[in-house]
Amino acid sequence: QRQMCIRDRGCMSPAAENTTDYIHNLITMMACLSEPWGIKDLSSRHIYMNKAAYFYTSTPERFDIEGRFDDEFPASWAELSDDLKEHDRLTVNSEKRVTVIETHYWYGKKTLTPCVSEKIPIFDRNKICIGTMWSARQLDSRSPLIYINQQKPTVLHTEIATDVFTPAELDIIFLLLQRFSNKEIARKMNVSPKTIENRVYNMYQKTDTHSLPQFEAFCRNLGVDGYIPRSLITKGIQFI
C-alpha cells in the first residue's frame, strides 16, 4: 500500500488532510518551475515529479511514478537506486539539506553527465519530517559573473594547463565555484575544515584577491573555472 498517497482522501484524518494539502501546494509550485523537482515519501517512494524532472530522468510521460521506488523506473539510472535511497535516508535523519554529485546519462545523453542533486526534508506544521523534495542541475561554471556579463557557462574539462594552481587546489576551486562550503569541501576531500580554510587563504594570497567574487573573476580570466575533477566523470553518486 502506498504511503502518503495524495489521490484518495475519503478516509483521511484532519492531520492527514493538512499534510496532503501541504504536498499539493508544493506540487503547484514545482509544476511552474523549469528546473527538475520532485517529492518522495519517508519510504523513498516517489510522489511527484515535474515535467523537467521527467526529462532529466528520461522517464516516459505515460509512466505513473506515484508510489514507485527508484529501482522500478524504466530507466538506466535505476541501477543507482541504493545510493539514491541512502541520499533520502541521510536527508530525513539529519533533517537538513544533503547535496550529492550524481553522474549518469541524464537527459537521455549518450555521455556521462555530472549533476548536483539536493534533497531537502519536508516538515509539516508540527515540524515533523514527512518526506523529501529534490532538485538537480547540471554542473558547469556557475559564477555570478556569467550572468552579470551575460556570458555562457564555460565548457568543463578534466585537464587545465596552469602554473598558478596545483591539482589539489584545482579540485578545491571546482567545488568553491559550485558554491560548496568549506565544511562540505572538507568532507568531500576527507580533510579538516581548517585545512580547507588554510588552502583557500593561500590561494587568495597567491592571486592577490580578498573575496570569493574577486577570486572567481581571477579564475575565469585564467581559464581554470572550466576545470572538473576527473573523478566526477565516473558513473555513480558522490556524497558531499
Side-chain angles (χ1 to χ4, degrees):
Q1 184 177 359
R2 296 178 183 178
Q3 181 177 351
M4 202 196 297
C5 180
I6 63 173
R7 291 176 177 170
D8 302 319
R9 305 178 63 174
C11 298
M12 285 187 177
S13 67
E17 289 191 8
N18 288 336
T19 297
T20 302
D21 288 338
Y22 187 61
I23 295 298
H24 272 295
N25 290 338
L26 287 175
I27 290 174
T28 300
M29 176 195 71
M30 292 177 180
C32 300
L33 300 177
S34 59
E35 302 85 6
W37 279 91
I39 301 173
K40 299 174 80 174
D41 67 18
L42 294 176
S43 297
S44 292
R45 295 179 184 271
H46 286 265
I47 294 175
Y48 171 79
M49 296 195 318
N50 65 3
K51 288 185 178 180
Y54 267 80
F55 180 52
Y56 173 70
T57 58
S58 300
T59 300
E61 290 186 8
R62 295 185 178 181
F63 182 72
D64 184 6
I65 63 101
E66 189 178 342
R68 302 280 190 172
F69 290 112
D70 292 313
D71 60 7
E72 295 180 294
F73 275 64
S76 60
W77 57 264
E79 64 182 329
L80 304 179
S81 60
D82 288 344
D83 284 337
L84 293 170
K85 189 172 183 178
E86 177 66 8
H87 192 187
D88 299 333
R89 187 190 67 80
L90 289 174
T91 305
V92 171
N93 289 348
S94 68
E95 296 189 341
K96 295 180 180 178
R97 180 189 67 178
V98 176
T99 304
V100 303
I101 297 175
E102 49 187 29
T103 303
H104 210 275
Y105 301 100
W106 304 116
Y107 296 106
K109 294 183 178 182
K110 296 182 179 180
T111 56
L112 290 172
T113 303
C115 296
V116 173
S117 176
E118 295 184 333
K119 288 184 177 174
I120 304 169
I122 302 172
F123 299 98
D124 63 15
R125 60 183 61 186
N126 295 317
K127 299 183 179 180
I128 297 174
C129 184
I130 58 174
T132 61
M133 54 184 174
W134 63 269
S135 66
R137 65 172 176 83
Q138 188 170 336
L139 282 174
D140 56 31
S141 56
R142 286 182 172 262
S143 166
L145 297 173
I146 292 172
Y147 306 106
I148 294 173
N149 299 327
Q150 297 183 339
Q151 297 172 325
K152 293 183 179 180
T154 303
V155 176
L156 299 177
H157 302 279
T158 57
E159 295 183 2
I160 294 287
T162 175
D163 296 327
V164 178
F165 301 111
T166 67
E169 288 175 334
L170 287 173
D171 288 353
I172 293 174
I173 289 171
F174 170 79
L175 295 170
L176 278 176
L177 297 184
Q178 295 299 322
R179 289 300 186 270
F180 289 114
S181 68
N182 287 342
K183 288 184 178 180
E184 290 172 324
I185 296 173
R187 285 199 298 269
K188 170 65 179 170
M189 303 188 75
N190 197 29
V191 297
S192 69
K194 187 63 178 179
T195 297
I196 298 300
E197 290 175 11
N198 290 337
R199 291 179 181 177
V200 172
Y201 175 79
N202 290 336
M203 288 191 290
Y204 279 16
Q205 289 290 100
K206 73 165 68 177
T207 57
D208 193 27
T209 56
H210 307 283
S211 65
L212 181 56
Q214 288 182 358
F215 185 71
E216 288 183 25
F218 181 94
C219 291
R220 186 164 187 83
N221 290 335
L222 189 63
V224 299
D225 63 321
Y227 171 80
I228 180 172
R230 185 176 295 276
S231 62
L232 296 183
I233 312 300
T234 302
K235 184 165 58 176
I237 293 179
Q238 299 194 33
F239 290 86
I240 304 298

